[in-house]
Each structure stands twice: as structure tokens, then as C-alpha cells.
């Protein structure tokens, strides 16, 4: 340890001197086209990443994927956890602009209200990549690309499965819905896709719909309320596994058998959700992949190199029944 320190001190001094000279050199070059441009001495890309929070198993897997992929790609990652608050994300993005990172990537907690800060990044010539969730900005030039899932499709797949299951139902099928965080793209879109799909059968009715904030605690608490207020609940549609897992506790505590008395459909397919599905407590999951890290780093490199990238990159995903979950579970990495 001590030896390393004595060796690294002069090395560090030399590195500082070299970078001072280099910065001076670049400044002297101004905007001339003599090559090199603004690239740093080591050519390393620095990415500022603003994460939504740590609200779910999906999010944890997503954070790990991003950190591991950055290391593997040799990208220096500055990471900030916004704790599900837009104001924290805006603060983090402004910090990254000030630090002059090469690329900003973020997963916007809500869809609206990003134009001002995105414009600031654009004015500072720092490319922005949206990942996981998108924004509703009309000006698409404010970001380079959006990498993530089709949340409407996920809601639709969940609804279509239910329509098929209940096609012979002769009376009303009462559905309760646990929504994701209010204003978040996956909450808005999954609700929409599901509603569109179940419209095919007028027996299927959403009798209560409330946010559980994508957390287990939220899912449990709201499901308790649903159970108290509604004597007949046939189906639960939860916008993610974690809320469904929280709801399981409320359902069991109310003396009902999850997966039998109440059909449970969720989205994500993280390990704990898949286990519940394999155990027959959940009945169906529409997958949403959190493993976006490698593609994100690839995009960052391309964007930094000035290459064109597609405006939208959609994640490939599938769906799971109990049988399929049993099969997939042993190899599930997250
Ligand atoms: O489904 C949920 C997480 O934005 C796709 O956020 C993501 C969602 C995911 O909290 O579990």
C-alpha cells in the first residue's frame, strides 16, 4: 500500500502536468480542424447517469447492469440515485453539465417537465440518451435516442392473456389495478395498453385503480384498501412484480389464496416475481428487461463519435406462464 503511494505520487504529478499542457494545447488550437478536437488525453468517455431510485427488483438489476457495462466498456460512470424525485434528477443533470461530461444518460422518473434542463444540455453540446423511460417533449432534438421497452405493448399482452382466460366468463370479472408511480411512462402506458386489450370483453371491468409507487410496501398497503372496500375481487393487475409481491401479503392476510381466489398478472419478470409465478401465486407475467447496460454503453460510444443512431431502440421481451417460469427460473440472472 505504502509503496504504491510513493510510486503513484510522482506519476500523478506528471499526469496533472500532462493534462494541463494538453488543455492548454487544445485551447490554443481553438476550433481549428487540426485533429484531436476536444477529446481528453486518455480518450476515455465520461457518462453522467441519473437513475430513478431503488424502488424495485427491476431497478436494482438495471443499476447493476449499467455499472457493470460501464466498467466493461471502459466508460467512466458518474452515478446518481434520485430517490424517485424529479427535482433530484434535474439537479444531477445540471451537475453533469457543469462537470462537462461527454454524455448524459437518464431514466426520467416522470414523463413531463424536462424541456428546460434538456435544452441546457443541448446548449452545452452534451448529448443526452434516454434509457428505460422516455419524456413527452415535443422537441425530439433534445435527446439523441431512447433505449427501452414498449410499455403499452406490455400492458396489452397482460390484458390479452386475461381476455383469453376469461372468454367463457358469463358474469362480471372484477379487476383491481396497482399502478406504477404517478406520471411515470410505464404507469401511463401499461394502464393504457391493458385497458385497450380488455375492452374486447365487456365482462372485464377495472373496479379500482390506484398507485402503489412501484414498491412492495405500496402494493401491500393499497391492496389492503382494495380488499376492504371490495368484497369481490377476481383479478389483480399490478404494473410491476414488486407491487404484486407486496399484494400477496395483503391477500393472504385477508384469508384468500393468491393465484386461485384472485388471478394475479404482473410485469417485469424479476427473480422473485418468477418464483411467485412458478409457485402458482402469480398467474402471468409480461417481461420487461432491465439489462440495458451493454446497449447503453454502445450507444454512448457511437453518439460521442458523432455516429448516427436510431431515434428509438426497443427492447426485446416475452411473456411467462407458470410452466414457462418453472423452466426459465434456474437460468434467471436477476
Ligand atoms: O417496471 C418497475 C420499475 O421503468 C420499466 O420501473 C421501469 C419500471 C419497472 O420500478 O419495476
Amino acid at each position: 500500500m505504502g509503496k504504491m503511494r510513493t510510486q503513484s505520487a510522482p506519476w500523478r504529478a506528471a499526469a496533472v502536468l500532462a493534462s494541463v499542457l494538453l488543455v492548454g494545447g487544445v485551447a490554443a488550437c481553438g476550433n481549428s480542424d487540426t485533429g484531436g478536437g476536444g477529446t481528453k488525453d486518455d480518450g476515455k468517455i465520461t457518462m453522467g447517469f441519473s437513475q430513478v431510485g431503488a424502488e424495485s427488483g427491476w431497478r436494482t438489476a438495471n443499476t447493476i447492469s449499467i455499472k457493470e457495462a460501464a466498467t466493461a466498456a471502459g466508460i467512466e460512470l458518474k452515478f446518481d440515485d434520485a430517490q424517485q424525485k424529479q427535482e433530484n434528477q434535474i439537479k444531477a443533470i445540471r451537475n453533469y453539465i457543469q462537470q462537462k461530461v461527454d454524455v448524459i444518460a437518464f431514466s426520467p422518473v416522470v414523463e413531463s417537465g424536462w424541456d428546460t434542463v434538456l435544452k441546457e444540455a443541448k446548449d452545452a453540446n452534451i448529448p443526452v440518451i434516454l434509457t428505460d423511460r422516455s419524456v413527452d417533449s415535443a422537441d425530439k432534438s433534445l435527446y439523441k435516442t431512447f433505449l427501452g421497452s414498449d410499455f403499452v405493448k406490455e400492458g396489452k399482452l397482460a390484458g390479452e392473456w386475461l381476455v383469453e382466460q376469461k372468454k367463457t366468463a358469463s358474469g362480471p370479472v372484477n379487476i383491481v389495478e396497482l399502478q406504477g408511480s404517478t406520471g411515470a411512462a410505464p404507469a401511463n402506458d401499461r394502464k393504457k395498453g391493458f385497458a385497450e386489450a380488455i375492452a374486447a370483453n365487456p365482462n372485464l371491468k377495472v373496479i379500482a385503480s390506484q398507485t402503489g409507487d412501484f414498491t412492495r410496501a405500496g402494493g401491500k398497503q393499497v391492496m389492503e384498501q382494495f380488499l376492504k372496500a371490495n368484497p369481490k375481487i377476481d383479478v389483480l393487475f399490478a404494473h410491476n412484480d414488486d407491487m404484486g409481491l407486496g399484494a400477496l401479503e395483503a391477500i393472504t392476510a385477508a384469508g384468500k389464496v393468491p393465484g386461485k381466489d384472485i388471478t394475479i398478472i404482473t410485469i417485469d419478470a424479476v427473480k422473485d416475481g418468477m418464483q411467485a409465478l412458478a409457485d402458482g401465486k402469480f398467474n402471468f407475467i409480461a417481461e420487461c428487461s432491465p439489462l440495458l447496460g451493454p446497449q447503453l454503453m454502445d450507444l454512448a460510444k457511437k453518439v460521442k463519435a458523432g455516429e448516427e443512431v436510431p431515434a428509438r431502440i426497443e427492447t426485446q421481451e416475452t411473456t411467462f406462464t407458470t410452466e414457462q417460469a418453472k423452466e426459465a427460473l434456474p437460468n434467471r440472472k436477476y
Side-chain angles (χ1 to χ4, degrees):
M1 206 37 195
K3 200 170 168 215
M4 261 182 72
R5 215 176 284 138
T6 48
Q7 277 183 348
S8 68
W11 179 88
R12 208 181 297 133
V16 168
L17 184 68
S19 64
V20 166
L21 290 174
L22 190 87
V23 169
V26 169
C29 284
N31 285 331
S32 71
D33 269 334
T34 46
T39 42
K40 279 177 280 172
D41 46 346
D42 58 359
K44 201 163 185 175
I45 296 174
T46 301
M47 171 187 284
F49 186 86
S50 168
Q51 179 62 291
V52 169
E55 73 283 3
S56 64
W58 191 99
R59 190 64 53 198
T60 306
N62 180 244
T63 292
I64 292 171
S65 170
I66 285 160
K67 287 184 175 172
E68 285 181 355
T71 306
I75 289 181
E76 189 185 325
L77 185 71
K78 294 176 188 288
F79 184 92
D80 184 80
D81 174 340
Q83 301 185 352
Q84 296 240 62
K85 291 203 177 75
Q86 183 173 34
E87 66 206 69
N88 291 345
Q89 287 203 298
I90 291 175
K91 223 184 275 167
I93 293 168
R94 290 204 166 121
N95 270 335
Y96 295 146
I97 294 171
Q98 235 174 15
Q99 293 169 33
K100 298 190 168 49
V101 298
D102 297 304
V103 183
I104 291 173
F106 79 115
S107 170
V109 59
V110 290
E111 279 188 285
S112 305
W114 298 101
D115 288 23
T116 307
V117 73
L118 288 177
K119 179 89 179 17
E120 287 167 22
K122 192 179 175 190
D123 290 346
N125 272 322
I126 301 177
V128 172
I129 300 174
L130 301 177
T131 173
D132 161 31
R133 302 181 182 177
S134 191
V135 299
D136 64 5
S137 303
D139 181 358
K140 305 288 178 218
S141 78
L142 293 176
Y143 55 91
K144 293 285 177 205
T145 179
F146 165 42
L147 163 69
S149 308
D150 181 342
F151 302 131
V152 176
K153 188 158 132 198
E154 291 166 354
K156 243 191 205 143
L157 289 168
E160 282 166 2
W161 178 82
L162 187 64
V163 168
E164 178 61 26
Q165 295 300 303
K166 302 287 180 188
K167 64 180 177 210
T168 55
S170 50
V173 175
N174 289 347
I175 305 165
V176 295
E177 179 179 32
L178 284 168
Q179 294 179 37
S181 309
T182 306
N188 296 340
D189 293 354
R190 287 170 184 170
K191 185 176 197 313
K192 182 169 175 258
F194 184 77
E196 277 171 18
I198 64 165
N201 182 346
N203 277 328
L204 303 184
K205 255 208 194 103
V206 177
I207 58 164
S209 181
Q210 250 188 64
T211 179
D213 218 12
F214 277 133
T215 65
R216 284 192 196 204
K220 179 174 180 227
Q221 198 199 326
V222 178
M223 191 67 200
E224 279 165 2
Q225 293 169 23
F226 284 164
L227 286 158
K228 261 185 215 146
N230 306 282
K232 182 181 178 285
I233 295 174
D234 304 303
V235 178
L236 163 64
F237 170 46
H239 288 189
N240 77 343
D241 287 342
D242 281 78
M243 291 190 294
L245 292 163
L248 287 182
E249 294 179 43
I251 294 168
T252 313
K256 299 195 188 247
V257 182
K260 299 214 162 55
D261 297 336
I262 299 179
T263 300
I264 301 179
I265 306 166
T266 67
I267 293 175
D268 274 357
V270 295
K271 224 175 200 161
D272 290 352
M274 291 287 272
Q275 187 63 58
L277 182 57
D279 294 344
K281 295 174 182 165
F282 285 0
N283 304 85
F284 188 74
I285 303 180
E287 185 187 36
C288 178
S289 175
L291 305 181
L292 303 175
Q295 270 174 298
L296 175 61
M297 298 309 147
D298 205 43
L299 284 168
K301 285 184 178 172
K302 288 192 172 139
V303 161
K304 178 65 184 136
E307 283 176 41
E308 280 296 315
V309 293
R312 171 81 171 98
I313 299 161
E314 203 183 306
T315 316
Q316 296 304 310
E317 348 200 81
T318 180
T319 60
F320 296 97
T321 59
T322 290
E323 283 317 307
Q324 291 164 329
K326 278 184 192 161
E327 232 171 82
L329 205 48
N331 301 316
R332 205 76 182 156
K333 293 216 169 46
Y334 57 91

